[in-house]
């Protein structure tokens, strides 16, 4: 362990070096840009440099049909003045263009310069994920083998699988953040995802199935337990299952959520409502509820950006702060919000390192990382047994929330009836709806089988998409509305 | 990757042409380049103060290359925001290298030479320079006035998520090795406001309203937009739940657009050839009631009367001279009196189905073209929205749907909803935290009334529709 600090230091240097050697940045240029950004009286300014290389390979109908590569380089410059944010970006990193963008952002303030640029202090970053070498050109052959294996495994699963699409998408994002308060941070963030999508057809019905996973990982992740075959069989199994699904029930009933991806419930029901910007503006149904009971005492929910290799994890957030584990709900009591620099300053509360942005073209805001519920003490089998008539939902598509009214939905993609304590027939996809500040009060049993999702989540807010993770143990809600058509 | 200012003086069209020529010189049998340049302005005003102000521009180029032999074409695509010579060289060499790892696909490739074409972009009236000319102070003032009108409308509105004003203009160029070269510019401006209302119980609701146009001349008054947003928000206060039941469901224009837009999504050639649509194999068959006619038209130009008595011709939000394959856009009757007449096809999906493209290719910077329509609309009926609800004793008027519970493979439909409850033919009280569910195959056959209130506020327009036989799940 003694060698660890050195290792971290050298990697920190490596993240930064790319921008200085390949993109021509210098300390002097960063200081000049920040000085220009503060020239009209702004209180704070930051520069966010980003260089992303992404690649997508897809196999479809047994042919490698898709191969695409993209490069995006640019800088976003932000100036804060009270509650005001001025912002400009440029995809041309020449000093002239950077200084012009800084002048544009500066104009949010209106007066003489009052703040000076502080000397930079480099944020020490952990190493939550592997740093791949150059953009993964050399690995194209290995990626093709992965999607070929997925294609074969899905087709071999069952003759009723008629269409298979397998793809692998990965990117390497390099960022460098320099701010007038002395913040200086850099990071290199890998992200990979393998996806399988199938169509199953029998004499009567057609159904789809999808599966996928990954994280901030290198390709060797897919050589272990999370193999292409794992995802392919999962997609095929779901599609075959749906061929025989009956109508989902309609109305309020007991609902048991399986472990893992059903944690999207937490993301929608409470996560967004606890982002500090909505609470600063008092537009969230959770505004003013800190210290109050918002869930049953069996519920503890955290947001944790420090889990190694996870899709939602970050060594530093997009404002250069270290990420952390933040307790949102502790034994049912609302404990805190997710904040960034602006909201923590205006609300006089700790910065939780939750400032994230989709790209250099977007303004950062408080976002989730990996959001999950901690284990309880119940056995999953006891939870099922306790239900007389209800729904057992083990996989979901997306969800959505109206943070002002608190109403949220999430759509089950694999669910079953529970009748007299036994899981019975599979049902068709159905949307579940609830009220955020109330829904978790009906949690009556929490399992001991916490799992995180496979690494597929993308969260959208104000037009910006960022990768996230969710998770939960098997959980029983005594009341939830299920939007089916049956009885 | 050195970044210089050189690229800003080089013309984008020349860069695109150079990319195509250099790809061919490296052995590609065909190549196609897209270049995009855009200017963007955005301001958010909240409680009277500017909260965010963004002003920027960006440029990028995307390339597709093909290597054809007897077995078919291998193809790859690359894109970059680095327009320096090094950046250009990188995407050309990467595309050529990547194409080698793909498999030959007999259906891949550019369209046939004789099918290319473009409508006259100037006759489509897509670009108005008055959008760029509005001073920033005036843009901010319009957002401020819009929010102020909402905040002063009623004492129950004391807060807001703010008002936005956005303006943008973009230029799009496409060239390929089969002789196609096209270019057009488009402008856009618009503003919106999202007020928040609170009742005595402390419960909050939000809604919004907006105005958007290709020219500032056609924007609504900020005060009118603010007032409508306030009214839309206030009518949601005090929402309750209703019991699980089956009843008539009325979708006004704002939510009918999403519901009936599924007709075009199910006619998407990509899903059709994969048997991944409920309309697969149904061309020429009755897939909806005989009152349903749905049209996609990428060529629409509207005549708008102005306050001074003159009129102005303006292209629709979904109008463009050519599609993502370089084929002229066109008008396509997709559903005619309930019969699936045409599909939404690009060149690739048309070849897979042994048909002709219907000019619906959509092309971003990266990747092969997908399917995307132009402007679309459901042919209106004769009834007013009031007449449509007049004989409903108990039913739901849907103000908002939530979630993604639409399965176009099976037609299964289940979404969250909030709205107004219809009692004895009138909008009686707000409801929320309910779902509506059914199957689209039935829903499209059970549209028993279509309104006369067709209005284009975006690229798609659908009048009020009334659907029978859906299930509402509530308390």
């Amino acid at each position: 362990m003694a060698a660890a600090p050195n290792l971290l230091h050298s990697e920190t240097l490596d993240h930064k070096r790319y921008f200085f050697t390949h993109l021509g940045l210098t300390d002097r240029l960063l200081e000049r840009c920040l000085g220009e950004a503060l020239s009209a009286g702004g209180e704070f300014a930051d520069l966010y440099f980003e260089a992303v290389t992404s690649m997508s390979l897809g196999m479809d109908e047994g042919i490698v049909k898709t191969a695409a590569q993209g490069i995006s380089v640019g800088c976003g410059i932000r100036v804060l003045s009270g509650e005001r944010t001025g912002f400009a970006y440029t995809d041309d990193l020449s000093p002239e263009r950077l200084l012009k963008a800084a002048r544009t952002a500066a104009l949010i303030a209106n007066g003489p310069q009052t703040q000076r640029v502080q000397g930079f202090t480099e944020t020490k970053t952990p190493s939550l994920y592997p740093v791949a070498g150059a953009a993964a050109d050399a690995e194209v052959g290995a990626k093709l083998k992965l999607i070929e294996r997925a294609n074969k495994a899905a087709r071999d699963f069952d003759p009723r699988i008629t269409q298979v699409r397998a793809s692998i998408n990965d990117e390497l994002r390099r960022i460098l953040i320099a701010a007038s308060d002395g913040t200086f941070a850099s990071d290199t963030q890998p992200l990979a995802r393998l996806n399988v999508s199938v169509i199953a057809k029998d004499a009567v019905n057609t159904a789809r199935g999808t599966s996928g996973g990954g994280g901030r990982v290198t390709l060797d992740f897919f050589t272990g337990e999370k193999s292409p075959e794992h995802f392919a069989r999962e997609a095929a199994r779901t599609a075959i299952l749906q061929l025989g699904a009956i109508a989902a029930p309609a109305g309020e009933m007991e609902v048991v959520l399986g472990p893992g991806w059903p944690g999207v419930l937490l993301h929608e029901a409470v996560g967004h409502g606890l982002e500090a910007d909505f609470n600063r503006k008092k537009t969230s149904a959770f505004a003013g509820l800190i210290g109050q009971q918002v869930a049953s005492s069996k519920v503890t929910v955290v947001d944790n950006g420090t889990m190694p290799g996870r899709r939602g994890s970050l060594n530093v957030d997009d404002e250069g702060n270290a990420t952390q584990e933040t307790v949102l709900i502790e034994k049912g009591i609302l404990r805190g919000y997710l904040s960034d620099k602006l909201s923590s300053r205006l609300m006089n509360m700790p910065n939780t390192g939750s400032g994230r942005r989709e790209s250099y073209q977007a303004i950062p805001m408080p976002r989730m990382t990996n959001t999950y519920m901690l284990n309880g003490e119940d056995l999953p089998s006891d939870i099922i047994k306790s239900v007389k008539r209800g729904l057992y939902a083990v996989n979901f598509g997306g969800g959505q929330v109206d943070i002002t009214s608190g109403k949220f939905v999430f759509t089950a993609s694999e669910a079953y009836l529970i009748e007299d304590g036994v899981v019975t027939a599979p049902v068709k996809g159905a949307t579940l709806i609830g009220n955020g500040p109330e829904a978790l009060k009906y949690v009556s049993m929490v399992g001991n089988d916490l799992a995180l999702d496979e690494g597929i989540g993308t969260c959208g807010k104000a037009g910006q998409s960022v990768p996230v993770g969710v998770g939960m143990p098997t959980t029983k809600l005594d009341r939830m509305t299920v939007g089916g058509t049956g009885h | 990757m050195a970044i210089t200012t050189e690229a800003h003086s080089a013309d984008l069209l020349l860069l695109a042409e150079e990319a195509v020529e250099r790809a061919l010189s490296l052995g590609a049998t065909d190549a196609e380049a897209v270049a995009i340049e855009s200017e963007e302005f955005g301001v958010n005003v909240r409680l009277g103060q500017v909260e965010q102000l963004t002003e920027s521009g960006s440029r990028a180029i995307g390339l597709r290359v093909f290597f054809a032999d007897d077995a078919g074409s291998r193809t790859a695509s690359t894109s970059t925001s680095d327009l320096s010579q090094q950046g250009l060289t990188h995407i050309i060499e990467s595309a050529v290298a990547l194409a080698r790892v793909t498999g030959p696909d007999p259906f891949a490739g550019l369209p046939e030479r004789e099918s290319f074409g473009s409508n006259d972009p100037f006759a489509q009236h897509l670009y108005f320079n008055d959008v760029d000319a509005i001073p920033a102070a005036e843009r901010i003032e319009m957002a401020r006035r819009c929010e102020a009108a909402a905040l002063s409308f009623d004492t129950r509105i004391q807060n807001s998520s703010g008002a936005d004003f956005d303006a943008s203009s973009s230029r799009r160029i496409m060239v390929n090795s089969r002789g196609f070269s096209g270019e057009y510019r488009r402008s856009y401006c618009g503003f919106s406001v999202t007020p928040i209302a609170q009742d005595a119980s402390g419960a909050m609701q939000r809604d919004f309203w907006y105005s958007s146009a290709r020219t500032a001349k056609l924007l609504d008054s900020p005060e009118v937009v603010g007032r409508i947003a306030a009214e839309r928000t206030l009518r949601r206060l005090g929402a309750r739940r209703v019991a699980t039941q089956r009843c008539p469901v009325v979708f006004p224009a704002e939510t009918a657009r999403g519901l009936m837009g599924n007709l075009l999504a199910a006619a998407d050639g990509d899903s059709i050839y994969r048997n991944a649509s409920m309309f697969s194999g149904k061309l020429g068959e009755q897939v909806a009631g005989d009152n349903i006619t749905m049209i996609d038209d990428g060529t629409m130009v509207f005549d708008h009367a102005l306050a001074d008595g003159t009129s102005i011709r303006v292209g629709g939000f979904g109008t463009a001279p050519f599609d993502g394959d370089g084929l002229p856009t066109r008008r396509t009757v997709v559903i005619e009196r309930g019969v699936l007449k045409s599909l939404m096809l690009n060149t690739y999906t048309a070849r897979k189905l042994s048909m002709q493209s219907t000019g619906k290719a959509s092309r971003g910077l990266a990747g092969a073209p997908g399917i995307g329509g132009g402007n679309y609309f459901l042919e209106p009926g004769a009834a007013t929205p009031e007449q449509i609800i007049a004989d409903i004793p108990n039913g739901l008027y849907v103000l908002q749907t939530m979630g993604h519970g639409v399965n176009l493979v099976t037609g299964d439909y289940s979404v969250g909803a909030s709205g107004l409850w219809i009692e004895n033919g009138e909008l009686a009280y707000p409801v929320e935290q309910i779902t509506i569910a059914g199957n689209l195959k039935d829903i499209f056959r059970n549209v028993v009334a279509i309104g006369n209130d067709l209005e284009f506020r975006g690229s798609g327009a659908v009048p009020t529709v009334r659907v029978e036989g859906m299930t509402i799940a509530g308390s």
Side-chain angles (χ1 to χ4, degrees), chain B residues 151-470:
Chain B
L151 288 171
S152 63
F153 185 79
D154 190 291
T155 54
R156 289 170 295 174
I157 299 180
Q158 296 288 337
N159 196 2
S160 121
S161 291
D164 294 303
F165 186 101
D166 296 296
S168 65
S169 62
S170 64
R171 178 176 168 223
R172 186 183 182 88
I173 289 166
M174 190 163 138
V175 295
N176 70 30
S177 56
R178 297 195 176 183
F180 178 82
S181 178
E183 171 172 356
Y184 58 93
R185 296 180 79 177
R186 296 201 277 194
S187 57
Y188 168 89
C189 58
F191 60 90
S192 67
V193 63
T194 306
I196 292 175
Q198 193 164 26
D199 62 20
S201 77
M204 295 191 292
Q205 295 288 346
R206 68 176 183 195
D207 208 320
F208 79 111
W209 197 238
Y210 66 101
S211 173
S212 55
R214 292 210 179 279
T215 163
K217 290 194 187 84
L218 291 180
L219 287 177
D220 295 334
S221 129
E223 283 73 21
V224 169
V225 170
R227 195 193 70 227
I228 294 173
E231 288 168 347
R232 288 170 58 92
T233 304
L234 288 168
R235 68 178 175 177
R236 298 170 72 133
L237 277 182
R240 22 180 153 152
R241 305 191 65 200
V242 287
T244 301
Q245 60 190 286
R246 281 164 82 104
C247 64
V249 179
V250 176
F251 295 81
E254 290 296 310
T255 49
R257 202 163 52 220
L259 179 73
M260 302 309 283
N262 287 312
L263 281 166
L264 297 182
D268 178 305
D270 194 72
S271 305
I272 297 279
Y273 91 71
R274 295 174 194 284
N275 275 317
S277 167
M278 59 186 183
F279 288 174
S280 288
K282 296 275 195 279
L283 191 63
E285 292 183 24
Q286 195 85 29
V287 295
D290 59 13
N291 55 347
I292 303 288
T293 293
M294 191 82 169
I295 291 163
D296 181 275
D297 186 350
T299 69
M300 294 179 88
V301 180
F302 297 91
D303 269 311
H304 294 275
L306 296 176
D308 63 6
T310 62
S311 75
I312 184 171
R313 286 179 69 71
V314 180
F317 288 107
T319 301
F322 53 87
D323 78 349
D325 280 326
L327 305 190
T329 51
R330 66 203 71 179
R331 179 181 198 269
T332 306
V333 181
V334 178
I335 311 280
E336 186 172 25
R337 305 198 61 76
V339 175
L340 181 62
K341 282 284 192 184
S342 288
L343 301 177
M344 301 286 285
L345 299 173
N346 60 13
T347 297
Y348 183 81
T349 57
R351 284 178 185 151
K352 291 291 288 187
L353 291 161
S354 305
M355 297 173 71
Q356 295 294 315
S357 171
T358 52
K360 311 300 179 196
S362 76
R363 169 90 149 90
L365 267 182
I371 306 277
N375 310 284
Y376 65 90
F377 63 97
L378 180 75
E379 279 206 342
T384 65
E386 291 74 20
Q387 287 167 339
I388 286 177
I389 62 169
D391 65 338
I392 298 177
N394 262 297
L396 175 67
Y397 185 84
V398 184
L399 295 180
Q400 182 190 12
T401 61
M402 286 178 79
H404 318 281
V406 182
N407 184 335
L408 291 172
V409 178
T410 58
D412 290 326
Y413 178 94
S414 167
V415 298
S418 53
L420 302 170
W421 197 252
I422 304 168
E423 229 169 41
N424 301 323
E426 289 186 4
L427 301 176
Y429 53 85
V431 293
E432 65 180 2
Q433 206 181 327
I434 55 178
T435 61
I436 42 181
N439 186 288
L440 289 171
K441 287 181 278 194
D442 304 324
I443 291 168
F444 294 144
R445 287 186 161 87
N446 293 333
V447 174
V448 296
I450 299 176
N452 61 0
D453 52 334
L454 183 75
E455 183 194 4
F456 278 89
R457 297 187 59 83
S459 59
V462 172
T464 301
V465 297
R466 170 178 166 180
V467 181
E468 296 293 318
M470 295 183 81

Side-chain angles (χ1 to χ4, degrees), chain A residues 315-453:
Chain A
N315 289 326
V316 291
D317 75 357
D318 293 328
E319 297 184 310
N321 292 302
T323 55
Q324 63 177 44
E325 178 176 348
T326 306
V327 177
L328 300 175
I329 295 171
E330 185 180 18
K331 296 194 167 78
I333 308 292
L334 180 60
R335 288 298 177 205
Y337 298 133
L338 295 170
S339 59
D340 59 359
K341 279 189 172 175
L342 178 70
S343 54
S344 62
R345 185 165 58 89
L346 294 174
M347 296 173 81
N348 196 21
M349 57 188 285
N351 184 335
T352 61
S354 306
R356 301 185 65 185
R357 56 206 296 172
E358 181 180 78
S359 77
Y360 71 90
Q361 297 189 352
I363 297 173
M365 54 189 166
R367 302 295 294 261
M368 286 173 262
T369 57
N370 304 297
T371 312
Y372 53 94
M373 188 192 291
L374 300 192
N375 264 334
E377 290 170 349
D378 295 303
L379 288 172
S381 54
D382 288 345
I383 296 177
I384 300 285
K385 269 185 227 154
S386 75
V387 177
K388 175 121 186 65
R389 175 186 171 272
L391 189 79
Y392 178 48
V394 298
N395 213 346
F396 282 84
Q400 190 182 339
V401 62
D402 174 335
I403 51 110
T404 299
S405 71
K407 305 302 173 283
F408 68 93
V409 296
F410 57 136
T411 303
S413 58
E414 181 182 353
Y416 306 82
L417 294 179
I418 307 176
E419 294 166 297
D420 295 322
V422 178
V423 174
T424 59
V427 298
K428 293 179 174 186
T431 289
L432 280 64
I433 189 162
N435 181 27
E438 250 179 35
L440 298 181
K441 290 180 180 167
Y442 299 113
V443 170
S444 58
M445 296 176 89
V446 177
N448 57 5
D449 57 343
L450 168 65
L452 264 77
D453 72 281

Side-chain angles (χ1 to χ4, degrees), chain B residues 38-54:
Chain B
S38 62
E39 298 287 331
E40 176 204 13
F41 171 94
V43 65
N44 174 264
V45 171
R46 184 169 167 271
L47 303 181
Q49 301 294 317
V50 172
E51 277 218 347
Q52 293 186 342
L53 186 67
T54 301

Side-chain angles (χ1 to χ4, degrees), chain A residues 18 22-23 55 57 60-61 63-65 67-73 83-89 91-94 96-97 104 108 140 144 163 165 199 201 206-208 250-252 280-285 361 363 398-405 407-409 411 428 430-431 433-435 481-485, chain B residues 1-5 8 40 46 49-59 75-81 90 94 98 101-105 159-161 196 204-206 236 241 244 270 273-276 348 352 400 402-407 409-410 412 414-417 432-435 437-438 471 473-475:
Chain A
Y18 176 83
H22 289 76
L23 298 179
M55 184 181 280
L57 293 170
D60 184 359
E61 300 186 300
I63 303 171
V64 178
K65 283 190 192 175
Q69 193 188 56
I71 293 173
S72 155
V73 181
E83 296 194 34
R84 299 150 71 97
T85 301
F87 185 68
Y89 59 84
D91 48 30
D92 178 338
L93 300 188
S94 64
E96 302 77 42
R97 288 281 160 171
T104 305
I108 193 71
V140 170
L144 288 174
Q163 285 272 339
R165 270 191 288 178
I199 296 289
K201 201 166 165 36
T206 307
R208 67 180 179 194
E252 218 166 60
R280 171 170 69 83
K281 299 173 185 175
K282 299 193 167 38
T283 60
S284 165
Q361 297 189 352
I363 297 173
Q400 190 182 339
V401 62
D402 174 335
I403 51 110
T404 299
S405 71
K407 305 302 173 283
F408 68 93
V409 296
T411 303
K428 293 179 174 186
T431 289
I433 189 162
N435 181 27
T481 298
V482 177
T485 56
Chain B
M1 199 190 315
I3 309 289
T4 69
T5 53
H8 279 270
E40 176 204 13
R46 184 169 167 271
Q49 301 294 317
V50 172
E51 277 218 347
Q52 293 186 342
L53 186 67
T54 301
E55 198 164 2
S56 283
S58 59
R59 293 153 58 106
T75 177
S77 75
T78 49
S79 65
T80 185
S81 63
H90 184 83
S94 300
L98 261 186
V101 308
T102 66
D105 181 348
N159 196 2
S160 121
S161 291
I196 292 175
M204 295 191 292
Q205 295 288 346
R206 68 176 183 195
R236 298 170 72 133
R241 305 191 65 200
T244 301
D270 194 72
Y273 91 71
R274 295 174 194 284
N275 275 317
Y348 183 81
K352 291 291 288 187
Q400 182 190 12
M402 286 178 79
H404 318 281
V406 182
N407 184 335
V409 178
T410 58
D412 290 326
S414 167
V415 298
E432 65 180 2
Q433 206 181 327
I434 55 178
T435 61
T471 303
S475 55

